[in-house]
């Protein structure tokens, strides 16, 4: 007969109370950021087919939506504008009374203490769907940075606390920081989508934000999913350019990247974006009864936090906050 085991790990798992006592990673409502899609035509509002449970809102609907989010204990929202008028250079992105400035004001009126973060990119505003200005069939990096700076100032002037540039242009953080500072918006922070991969998991978002590229794809600016050393280079560059917080996106297929970036920069708050495809995969399976929604969602979020994310952008934010309050 073999010897009895010297250490019995099952002692830690014997009861729910015991498991609670030794749990290493805990989720709380304050970990989450709720993304919101805002449209300027009421015809465009309503459920998003490829993201069951997520809707697009008009500015006038936003007050109630945001009130409920703040009530749930979620401290922050991330705003995406989905305008109906688009052109080659995304001019509607810098209108002082454009969709995002209006949305920012509506959020502030509904919830005074809410952290309002705005996505700074051009893809929802351009008729070609790319994240920048096109010159000779390529995204022109430096012309795009100029525009991104203007968008950031427009959002900060409307009251955004943070801007989150997601275009993956070289030098975009430096351009935005100096534009904000020149406009006396030095208190506006930058949450940089520093490490953003060219991912198939953005599919449903492109329906939601009406921003699919009309030619080619985003692989000349978003990162190759095969690379992690490059992620560390991107993170360092953005910090050197003045980013206050960093983001890795998507989350679940990139837990190693989250871990590496957090280990390299332990003193910088790190966000992870659980993107639309991650949401829709679980939601679709749950709707068919193939997965337990609540358990799958909590497990995925716990894994992202365990990997090293300090905050998580997730379409389930306020729903999970509700679950956590019940338990
Ligand atoms: C736009 C942007 C995208 C997402 C956030 N900002 C799409 C893209 O880059 O194609 C994806 C978010 C999601 O899938 O939930 N630059």
């Amino acid at each position: 007969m073999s010897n009895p085991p010297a250490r019995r790990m099952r002692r830690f798992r014997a009861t729910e109370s015991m498991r609670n006592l030794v749990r290493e990673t805990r989720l709380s409502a304050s970990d989450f950021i709720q993304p919101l899609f805002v449209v300027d035509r009421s015809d465009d509002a309503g459920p998003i087919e490829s993201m069951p449970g997520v809707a697009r809102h008009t500015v006038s609907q936003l007050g109630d939506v945001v009130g409920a989010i703040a009530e749930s204990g979620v401290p922050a929202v991330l705003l995406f504008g989905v305008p109906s008028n688009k052109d080659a250079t995304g001019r509607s992105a810098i209108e002082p009374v454009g969709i995002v400035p209006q949305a920012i004001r509506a959020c502030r009126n509904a919830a005074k203490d809410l952290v309002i973060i705005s996505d700074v990119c051009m893809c929802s505003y351009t008729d070609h769907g790319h994240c920048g200005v096109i010159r000779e069939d390529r995204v022109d990096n430096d012309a795009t940075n100029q525009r991104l700076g203007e968008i950031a100032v427009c959002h900060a002037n409307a009251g955004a606390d943070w801007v989150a540039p997601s275009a993956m242009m070289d030098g975009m953080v430096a351009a935005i920081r100096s534009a904000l500072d020149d406009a006396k918006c030095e208190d506006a922070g930058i949450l940089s989508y520093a490490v953003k991969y060219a991912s198939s998991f953005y599919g449903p978002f492109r329906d939601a934000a009406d921003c699919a590229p009309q030619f080619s794809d985003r692989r000349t600016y978003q990162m190759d999913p095969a690379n992690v050393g490059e992620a560390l280079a991107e993170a360092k560059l953005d910090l050197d350019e003045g980013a206050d917080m960093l983001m890795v996106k998507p989350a679940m297929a990139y837990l190693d990247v989250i871990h590496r970036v957090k280990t390299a920069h332990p003193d910088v708050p790190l966000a992870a974006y659980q993107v639309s495809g991650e949401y829709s995969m679980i939601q679709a399976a749950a709707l068919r009864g193939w997965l337990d929604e609540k358990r799958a969602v909590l497990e995925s979020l716990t894994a992202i936090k365990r990997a090293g994310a300090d905050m998580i952008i997730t379409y389930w934010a306020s729903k999970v906050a509700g679950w956590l309050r019940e338990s």
Side-chain angles (χ1 to χ4, degrees), residues 121 123 166 196 202 205-206 218 222 249 275-276 315:
C121 193
C123 58
S166 62
K196 179 176 178 182
Y202 306 151
F205 177 95
R206 292 181 185 173
R218 302 206 205 287
Q222 298 181 348
K249 174 187 175 184
V275 301
S276 55
Y315 297 97

Side-chain angles (χ1 to χ4, degrees), residues 37 51 80 119-124 131 166-167 193 196-197 199 201-206 211 213 218 222 249 273-277 315:
F37 299 107
M51 300 178 71
F80 292 95
D119 185 83
V120 170
C121 193
M122 293 177 57
C123 58
S124 296
C131 301
S166 62
Y193 287 71
K196 179 176 178 182
Y197 288 92
S199 172
F201 294 108
Y202 306 151
F205 177 95
R206 292 181 185 173
C211 68
R218 302 206 205 287
Q222 298 181 348
K249 174 187 175 184
Y273 198 145
Q274 184 180 52
V275 301
S276 55
Y315 297 97

Side-chain angles (χ1 to χ4, degrees), residues 35-39 44 46-51 54-57 79-86 99 119 121-131 166 193 196 202-214 218 249 273 276 315:
L36 291 172
F37 299 107
V38 191
V39 294
D44 294 333
I48 299 160
E49 204 184 320
S50 55
M51 300 178 71
V54 178
R56 314 205 283 189
H57 306 289
L79 297 175
F80 292 95
V82 190
S84 48
N85 55 332
K86 301 169 189 256
I99 182 82
D119 185 83
C121 193
M122 293 177 57
C123 58
S124 296
Y125 300 86
T126 51
D127 50 15
H128 46 73
H130 276 287
C131 301
S166 62
Y193 287 71
K196 179 176 178 182
Y202 306 151
F205 177 95
R206 292 181 185 173
D207 290 344
D210 189 19
C211 68
Q214 299 302 304
R218 302 206 205 287
K249 174 187 175 184
Y273 198 145
S276 55
Y315 297 97

Side-chain angles (χ1 to χ4, degrees), residues 21-61:
L21 195 63
V22 296
R23 185 158 299 130
E24 299 172 38
T25 307
R26 293 172 204 273
L27 295 173
S28 105
S30 58
D31 295 330
F32 304 124
I33 299 170
Q34 179 78 57
L36 291 172
F37 299 107
V38 191
V39 294
D40 57 8
R41 276 198 317 220
S42 52
D43 283 356
D44 294 333
I48 299 160
E49 204 184 320
S50 55
M51 300 178 71
V54 178
R56 314 205 283 189
H57 306 289
T58 59
V59 170
S60 55
Q61 294 168 335

